[in-house]
Amino acid sequence: MERRGLWKESCEILEYIVLDLEPTDAHSYLALARLESRRERGQFRRWRQGGDSGSNEGGEIPDEESNEDGKDKGGSRAREIFETGTYHCPESVHLWHAWAMHEQSLGNLEKARELLEKALALDPGNGYVCHAYGMMEIQNGNFEHAKELWNKGVTNRPSAALVCSLGQLYVSTGDPQSARELYSANFSLLPSERERIEVYLAAASLEETEFNDVAKASELLKLALNDGRTQDSRPYVALARLGSESGSVDDNIVRKRLKEICTKQMERVLKGDAAFPVKDGRLFNAWAKLESKSGRLKKAKDVLKQGMQLYPE
């Protein structure tokens, strides 16, 4: 309903659920609070940009819609809902996490930290909380605390987001070897093919850019392609571009590689061969981009048309 612009109607339904039907329904509190949070963040951005409330800069964030109903004048309706929700559902990690993200979006970092600590007290290894908390710390220059949080998350419940973020942090702080060891240790621990491919891509990029080992990068990308049956074209694109970061391969070679892969893909798809694993048009987009970069606009259009013919959606 919200997507159709029926914001008030959505709020009324969710309020009916948590006030009249089920006051301990954490999911409904979460949905209602997020709905209000999105609206308030939009108002906050307009306020910061000096929109309709330019004369109020530095004061309370205006809340015209809430004021019409006589609710929460000059305050945060989302915060009120989060407070009520966590009172009735104190064990809901999702509510504490979402509330922290709301406070962070409004610049209330100390409050956000306090709420994230409460979430971690309930579930110390929660990957979503550890990752979000670490990202907030990175944005504020607290690299060591971010490293500690992400290491905790990886140890308890590894995910591609945690592993890749921690690996990038190691690299940015001058320790690529720790990133290499981290990636290698977690390939087999990640729960899904999609997540493993994310880490294979990060590891391959690390080998090429930090260790100048193109052969190792190629090996990792081929492992990604052979990992299950995931329909992911990114390892193919990365393989085609291999060597371009170090300058050992120019655009012409990359373009030739992409052309070969796309031609092979087109032939197999048109023959009805389901063995070729790529089921999207990213490869054609990458090829067309290089043709356009070289000034061959007509060729770029032809390549895009071929991609759209195979992948109309």
Side-chain angles (χ1 to χ4, degrees):
M1 292 179 72
E2 181 191 4
R3 291 179 181 177
R4 288 159 38 203
L6 303 175
W7 176 83
K8 286 189 176 180
E9 290 82 352
S10 300
C11 283
E12 287 170 0
I13 291 171
L14 290 168
E15 285 180 344
Y16 172 68
I17 293 172
V18 296
L19 295 178
D20 297 325
L21 294 182
E22 185 52 71
T24 58
D25 182 1
H27 295 293
S28 294
Y29 278 116
L30 186 61
L32 179 58
R34 281 176 168 167
L35 188 64
E36 290 281 4
S37 178
R38 284 191 291 273
R39 182 179 62 83
E40 288 177 13
R41 287 200 304 270
Q43 290 180 333
F44 183 70
R45 283 193 295 271
R46 291 192 295 274
W47 175 75
R48 290 290 298 271
Q49 293 166 0
D52 295 337
S53 54
S55 60
N56 192 41
E57 187 170 353
E60 295 287 353
I61 302 168
D63 192 352
E64 295 175 1
E65 289 181 82
S66 292
N67 292 347
E68 288 176 4
D69 298 329
K71 296 178 183 177
D72 202 46
K73 184 173 182 179
S76 169
R77 174 66 173 150
R79 184 180 297 124
E80 177 187 318
I81 296 162
F82 279 124
E83 288 173 347
T84 305
T86 52
Y87 174 80
H88 288 289
C89 313
E91 302 298 311
S92 174
V93 174
H94 299 297
L95 271 172
W96 292 110
H97 176 209
W99 185 2
M101 295 299 95
H102 172 70
E103 296 295 346
Q104 182 192 0
S105 73
L106 298 179
N108 303 324
L109 299 185
E110 287 307 312
K111 182 64 175 178
R113 286 192 180 94
E114 174 192 329
L115 296 167
L116 287 165
E117 290 292 344
K118 289 183 178 180
L120 287 177
L122 292 169
D123 186 359
N126 187 287
Y128 293 106
V129 177
C130 287
H131 187 258
Y133 199 172
M135 291 298 294
M136 186 178 77
E137 293 296 67
I138 287 288
Q139 291 167 12
N140 290 279
N142 301 321
F143 301 120
E144 288 305 313
H145 191 207
K147 191 182 296 183
E148 177 188 330
L149 288 161
W150 288 342
N151 265 307
K152 181 190 294 186
V154 168
T155 300
N156 285 276
R157 212 170 303 167
S159 68
L162 282 166
V163 171
C164 291
S165 294
L166 182 56
Q168 290 165 7
L169 180 55
Y170 280 136
V171 172
S172 68
T173 53
D175 189 7
Q177 182 59 37
S178 288
R180 177 188 253 177
E181 293 169 3
L182 173 73
Y183 295 147
S184 178
N186 282 279
F187 290 135
S188 61
L189 301 180
L190 294 167
S192 71
E193 296 165 17
R194 180 190 60 77
E195 290 199 271
R196 288 193 294 275
I197 285 175
E198 292 277 355
V199 178
Y200 275 123
L201 289 167
S205 176
L206 177 75
E207 292 297 335
E208 181 181 3
T209 57
E210 296 296 324
F211 296 101
N212 199 28
D213 192 340
V214 173
K216 180 64 175 178
S218 176
E219 177 188 334
L220 289 165
L221 291 171
K222 289 172 182 176
L223 285 171
L225 290 173
N226 291 325
D227 190 338
R229 304 174 63 85
T230 299
Q231 316 290 308
D232 198 318
S233 62
R234 290 174 299 166
Y236 281 100
V237 175
L239 265 175
R241 290 175 172 163
L242 204 57
S244 60
E245 290 288 338
S246 60
S248 60
V249 170
D250 62 20
D251 283 353
N252 286 328
I253 294 176
V254 176
R255 183 167 51 84
K256 183 179 178 182
R257 290 173 180 173
L258 286 167
K259 180 180 178 180
E260 289 173 355
I261 298 171
C262 288
T263 301
K264 180 181 178 182
Q265 184 176 354
M266 192 159 29
E267 289 173 352
R268 289 194 172 184
V269 171
L270 292 176
K271 288 178 182 177
D273 184 352
F276 199 75
V278 181
K279 299 295 182 185
D280 64 55
R282 282 196 189 100
L283 286 160
F284 288 89
N285 291 341
W287 179 14
K289 186 176 180 179
L290 283 180
E291 295 290 358
S292 176
K293 183 179 176 182
S294 301
R296 292 182 283 270
L297 299 182
K298 184 177 184 304
K299 180 62 177 178
K301 290 179 182 178
D302 290 341
V303 170
L304 289 173
K305 285 178 182 177
Q306 289 175 350
M308 288 188 286
Q309 179 186 356
L310 292 178
Y311 306 105
E313 296 182 2

